[in-house]
Amino acid sequence: MERSRNLIIVGFAVLMAVSLVLFYAPGRNTEALSGGGTEVIARVGGDDILVNEFNSRKQSVIQRYGGQFGFAQLGYTNKRLLDEMIQSRITAQEASRLNLGASDGELKASIKRTFRDAAGNFIGFDKYKERVVSNYGDLERFEGGVRDDIASQKLLAFVTAGVHVSDEEVQKDYQRQNVKFDLVYVAVTPDKVAEKIQPTDEELRAYFDQHKTNYRIYEPQKKIRYLFIDQTKMGEKLTLSDADLKAEYDKLKPENKEAGNRVQQIVLKVANPGLDATVKAKADQLATQARGQTGTMEEKEFGDLAKGQSEDPATAKNGGMLPNYVKKDATKASDPLQHIFETEVGGISGPFKSGNAYYIYRRGESVPKTFEQAKPQLLASLRNRQAYDAASALAARISERAKQEKDFQKLATEFAGQANMNAAQMLKETGFIVPGDDVPDIGSNQQFEDALEPLNNAQDVGAATPIKGGFAIPMLVEKKDPRLPEFDETKEKVAKDLKLERAKAQLEEMARNLANGTGSAAELKAAAQKLGLEAKDEGAYKLGMPLGEAGTSPGADEVIYGLKEGELTKTPIKIGDAWFVVGATKRTEADLTEFNKNRDRQVQQATDTLRDQVFSDYIAGVKARMESEGRIYIDENVMKQLESDEPEMTNPALPRRPPIRQG
């Protein structure tokens, strides 16, 4: 046994050595890594997350939007995606530890519910496999994901079994959230107070001498002159005919020439959780009736059924017809309406439970999007695309000329007509800037900063670079090395800092004087005017809303909720850097009529929200414990390699998408 152990240790050491050599060897094939190797990117409780699995998940995220946008454009990072995968592993392992994993029977039942034909029957293994492989790539991986989802739901039910929100709590919260105020308020802000402060030159110089190191310049400063090509201006001179737009329309895929499908629905509401099974049975009976022998039903027949059975008055009177067309959307896979596309025209979907109701849908005819209907969208899209291409091409030509012709004024005059601009609009200049500065008309732009980096000598010209609204061709005018600046160089910033510092010290006192010297909300405007401040009105204010341009604050909500009509806050409220004095000119208590109509649904929603929070906290606790025990490991070298292989986003014309919410 000892000899065997030694052989294993030696073998393992050799294996590790070979692995390290392969991993760190110069010229290692990074393409194999980023393309989907079997390297371990993370380990969670002994369960490995491999690079190929990670890349597959990444592609799934991208394909969710039809592959039109890059990973970063969808608001994702590699770290965020890996965190989601780690959390999924933690949830599955915790469910397994508690014997809450999915059985084979539960897996089969879930698959049969999801993959049904128009008659509501399982589509059969061959068709099921074909769909899964086509959409997900791997049957085993897909079924593993289904098992994890089932286990996650069982774990959620187990962890939150005792979580409940009472009717009284929900009603109290409803009343609190729906009381309305008409407010009058005064914001005492640093910038407003700073405007009135006028320090002397001696005070500014003294402040600079005391804080001199705060103004040290650590990177070279560059003054840049640049020629700007406005993409919108280029677009304005483009002539797009109906023939151009018709050609664009003809190139659209068939699914993009559809406005969507007409859809009818029958809604059965669950008035009381105890009646859920009864309502579900009725919904099943109606769905079976609608499917009949063929799995389909004519529009009029379904309409008559909806008029007699549906409990949604808005659609029932129109035969259950939804007011808007429904279009297939891969990003809305959790929307029950998307199931209509698993049936033929006339096919019946459901019943599906959503909120406190069961829904049965009938898929109607597809409604085509005519050329005239699509024309505005086609015009905007084609103009934007052609304007970008035209601006890019012109910027490239000017950039080549600029490398020989250093006179940017002359170039602006020469090319202004082609850019549909005048020379003054084209020729721009920055002050002395460093990376990270918010440059006027450009903002903080990494691509612009990258174009400036190689410019080190006066009249060095950079490449044409995409910026906000178009393109820029930059030229270095002057460069200053890192240094501790003289007072005169930074006097403006010193004055701003000193004014703000003094203003902040005066804010609370000024706000307190205003609050204490004002008797009621009605008197606040006059009192503010005497101090040179402005009072503003905010009508129909509810808790949680921002107050004017300020953010939200739980502390502010508490104070405002305690105000009676005509009362004024005697203690100023601090939100961010500002102090607020607030008065209630009117207070309207919440109307409980609507709440009582939907009491059960709102109690259920509040309970579900609390359960989600409890479950999230539970998983976070499990993760923290596993991390402290060293059971979660991330290979930072593999992560860095994946980051280096990630292509940069270079096309500013593509839209930014908000981060996708998972789950």
Side-chain angles (χ1 to χ4, degrees):
M1 289 180 67
E2 187 172 340
R3 283 199 303 273
S4 299
R5 185 195 66 184
N6 291 337
L7 284 171
I8 291 171
I9 292 173
V10 171
F12 180 77
V14 171
L15 178 61
M16 287 298 293
V18 171
S19 299
L20 290 170
V21 169
L22 288 173
F23 190 87
Y24 292 105
R28 180 174 180 264
N29 187 351
T30 59
E31 186 176 348
L33 173 61
S34 62
T38 56
E39 292 91 342
V40 175
I41 190 172
R43 182 166 291 126
V44 183
D47 188 5
D48 291 343
I49 298 176
L50 306 180
V51 169
N52 56 8
E53 180 186 357
F54 178 86
N55 283 331
S56 176
R57 183 72 168 268
K58 179 184 285 191
Q59 286 305 311
S60 295
V61 170
I62 295 170
Q63 288 305 315
R64 204 178 300 164
Y65 283 90
Q68 299 178 40
F69 305 102
F71 192 59
Q73 289 172 290
L74 294 172
Y76 259 97
T77 63
N78 285 339
K79 182 180 183 303
R80 177 185 167 187
L81 181 63
L82 183 61
D83 286 344
E84 290 177 359
M85 295 179 74
I86 288 173
Q87 181 157 317
S88 178
R89 289 292 206 280
I90 292 171
T91 303
Q93 291 177 18
E94 184 67 3
S96 177
R97 183 182 73 83
L98 296 170
N99 294 319
L100 297 173
S103 67
D104 290 344
E106 289 170 324
L107 174 65
K108 289 178 181 178
S110 176
I111 290 170
K112 286 184 175 180
R113 280 196 305 270
T114 304
F115 295 88
R116 295 190 292 183
D117 58 19
N121 300 317
F122 179 54
I123 60 177
F125 180 77
D126 291 338
K127 284 187 177 179
Y128 155 68
K129 181 178 180 182
E130 181 183 344
R131 285 191 189 179
V132 169
V133 172
S134 173
N135 293 317
Y136 302 95
D138 184 272
L139 185 65
E140 184 177 352
R141 183 180 297 162
F142 171 78
E143 292 187 349
V146 175
R147 284 185 185 275
D148 288 347
D149 287 343
I150 295 170
S152 176
Q153 290 302 313
K154 292 169 76 172
L155 180 62
L156 170 66
F158 175 79
V159 171
T160 63
V163 175
H164 178 68
V165 181
S166 69
D167 285 20
E168 292 75 17
E169 290 175 291
V170 178
Q171 180 172 320
K172 184 178 179 181
D173 186 63
Y174 180 88
Q175 289 175 300
R176 177 184 171 84
Q177 296 302 322
N178 287 278
V179 62
K180 293 180 182 178
F181 297 88
D182 286 349
L183 301 177
V184 57
Y185 69 91
V186 177
V188 186
T189 59
D191 55 331
K192 291 294 183 184
V193 177
E195 290 173 0
K196 303 174 183 178
I197 299 173
Q198 298 298 327
T200 65
D201 278 0
E202 290 74 16
E203 290 173 320
L204 292 175
R205 190 174 290 278
Y207 186 85
F208 172 75
D209 290 338
Q210 293 169 10
H211 303 85
K212 191 174 291 187
T213 56
N214 293 351
Y215 301 98
R216 180 181 293 279
I217 299 169
Y218 292 94
E219 297 185 65
Q221 288 178 301
K222 296 180 180 181
K223 179 183 284 189
I224 301 297
R225 184 174 297 134
Y226 66 95
L227 293 169
F228 174 58
I229 294 87
D230 189 322
Q231 181 179 331
T232 302
K233 291 285 186 182
M234 292 291 288
E236 289 172 358
K237 65 182 292 188
L238 294 174
T239 302
L240 300 176
S241 66
D242 273 8
D244 295 325
L245 299 177
K246 186 64 168 61
E248 288 293 302
Y249 179 77
D250 291 340
K251 288 189 291 186
L252 291 176
K253 295 178 180 178
E255 59 266 28
N256 292 329
K257 290 184 180 180
E258 294 180 358
N261 282 73
R262 292 162 60 85
V263 175
Q264 294 165 278
Q265 70 173 10
I266 294 173
V267 182
L268 299 179
K269 296 181 180 179
V270 182
N272 185 300
L275 299 174
D276 190 283
T278 303
V279 178
K280 173 67 164 59
K282 182 179 178 182
D284 287 334
Q285 183 267 324
L286 287 174
T288 301
Q289 179 183 342
R291 288 189 177 98
Q293 297 297 317
T294 63
T296 63
M297 188 177 239
E298 293 298 321
E299 180 178 315
K300 184 180 184 308
E301 292 180 276
F302 191 91
D304 291 340
L305 193 62
K307 287 177 182 178
Q309 300 292 339
S310 181
E311 297 173 3
D312 177 37
T315 56
K317 64 183 179 182
N318 296 320
M321 191 68 71
L322 296 182
N324 299 315
Y325 303 137
V326 177
K327 192 164 178 130
K328 190 171 184 179
D329 189 343
T331 68
K332 297 180 179 178
S334 60
D335 183 354
L337 272 168
Q338 291 296 310
H339 286 289
I340 68 164
F341 297 104
E342 297 172 4
T343 70
E344 59 187 306
V345 172
I348 308 301
S349 299
F352 301 107
K353 177 78 179 289
S354 180
N356 69 330
Y358 283 92
Y359 294 80
I360 302 165
Y361 299 114
R362 176 191 176 273
R363 179 180 181 178
E365 297 287 342
S366 172
V367 180
K369 182 189 289 184
T370 65
F371 169 64
E372 289 300 323
Q373 290 173 323
K375 194 173 175 180
Q377 184 179 352
L378 292 170
L379 179 61
S381 175
L382 184 58
R383 186 181 297 280
N384 182 63
R385 191 167 70 247
Q386 289 193 2
Y388 180 86
D389 292 341
S392 176
L394 180 59
R397 291 203 308 274
I398 298 175
S399 179
E400 288 302 311
R401 280 288 309 282
K403 292 174 183 176
Q404 286 78 40
E405 177 61 71
K406 307 290 186 177
D407 187 342
F408 270 32
Q409 179 64 59
K410 180 180 177 181
L411 289 171
T413 303
E414 178 182 343
F415 286 97
Q418 296 181 48
N420 197 29
M421 303 169 70
N422 59 49
Q425 291 172 325
M426 285 189 71
L427 188 59
K428 295 177 177 286
E429 191 169 297
T430 72
F432 282 98
I433 58 175
V434 297
D437 280 353
D438 189 355
V439 182
D441 299 327
I442 294 177
S444 181
N445 186 307
Q446 185 61 52
Q447 289 176 290
F448 187 67
E449 292 176 7
D450 291 343
L452 303 187
E453 187 176 0
L455 309 184
N456 291 303
N457 300 302
Q459 294 197 322
D460 280 355
V461 176
T465 305
I467 63 170
K468 181 173 62 177
F471 290 82
I473 299 100
M475 180 178 73
L476 179 64
V477 176
E478 187 180 350
K479 177 183 174 182
K480 292 182 179 180
D481 291 327
R483 67 200 183 285
L484 192 62
E486 296 297 325
F487 169 70
D488 289 338
E489 289 183 76
T490 189
K491 182 178 178 180
E492 187 176 332
K493 190 173 189 314
V494 171
K496 181 179 178 181
D497 291 346
L498 177 56
K499 287 180 179 182
L500 282 175
E501 185 175 295
R502 289 185 177 178
K504 287 178 181 179
Q506 299 175 18
L507 290 182
E508 185 176 3
E509 182 182 357
M510 183 178 292
R512 286 187 182 279
N513 290 339
L514 175 61
N516 294 328
T518 308
S520 68
E523 301 171 9
L524 185 58
K525 287 189 177 182
Q529 192 172 14
K530 289 180 181 179
L531 295 174
L533 299 171
E534 182 184 5
K536 296 183 179 180
D537 295 310
E538 185 80 43
Y541 178 87
K542 289 184 178 182
L543 301 186
M545 293 171 58
L547 192 59
E549 297 179 359
T552 59
S553 163
D557 282 351
E558 287 299 322
V559 176
I560 292 172
Y561 187 66
L563 290 176
K564 296 177 182 177
E565 192 166 305
E567 285 187 342
L568 188 77
T569 54
K570 289 305 178 183
T571 301
I573 305 168
K574 191 171 191 296
I575 305 177
D577 289 334
W579 288 87
F580 287 79
V581 179
V582 184
T585 57
K586 184 179 179 182
R587 174 177 176 137
T588 306
E589 299 297 337
D591 182 359
L592 292 178
T593 304
E594 191 63 31
F595 172 79
N596 289 327
K597 286 181 184 177
N598 302 285
R599 179 183 293 269
D600 292 335
R601 177 173 60 82
Q602 295 195 60
V603 170
Q604 187 60 53
Q605 286 178 343
T607 302
D608 289 344
T609 299
L610 182 58
R611 283 174 177 166
D612 288 344
Q613 184 59 56
V614 169
F615 186 66
S616 178
D617 292 343
Y618 178 85
I619 295 300
V622 175
K623 182 180 180 182
R625 185 177 71 247
M626 292 179 70
E627 287 175 335
S628 68
E629 295 171 353
R631 295 171 59 208
I632 296 178
Y633 162 76
I634 298 174
D635 193 321
E636 297 296 344
N637 291 309
V638 176
M639 281 294 289
K640 288 177 182 177
Q641 187 62 61
L642 288 170
E643 293 291 346
S644 67
D645 289 341
E646 186 71 16
E648 294 184 4
M649 183 182 72
T650 58
N651 189 346
L654 289 175
R656 294 287 298 172
R657 285 296 181 99
I660 305 167
R661 291 186 67 83
Q662 293 298 305

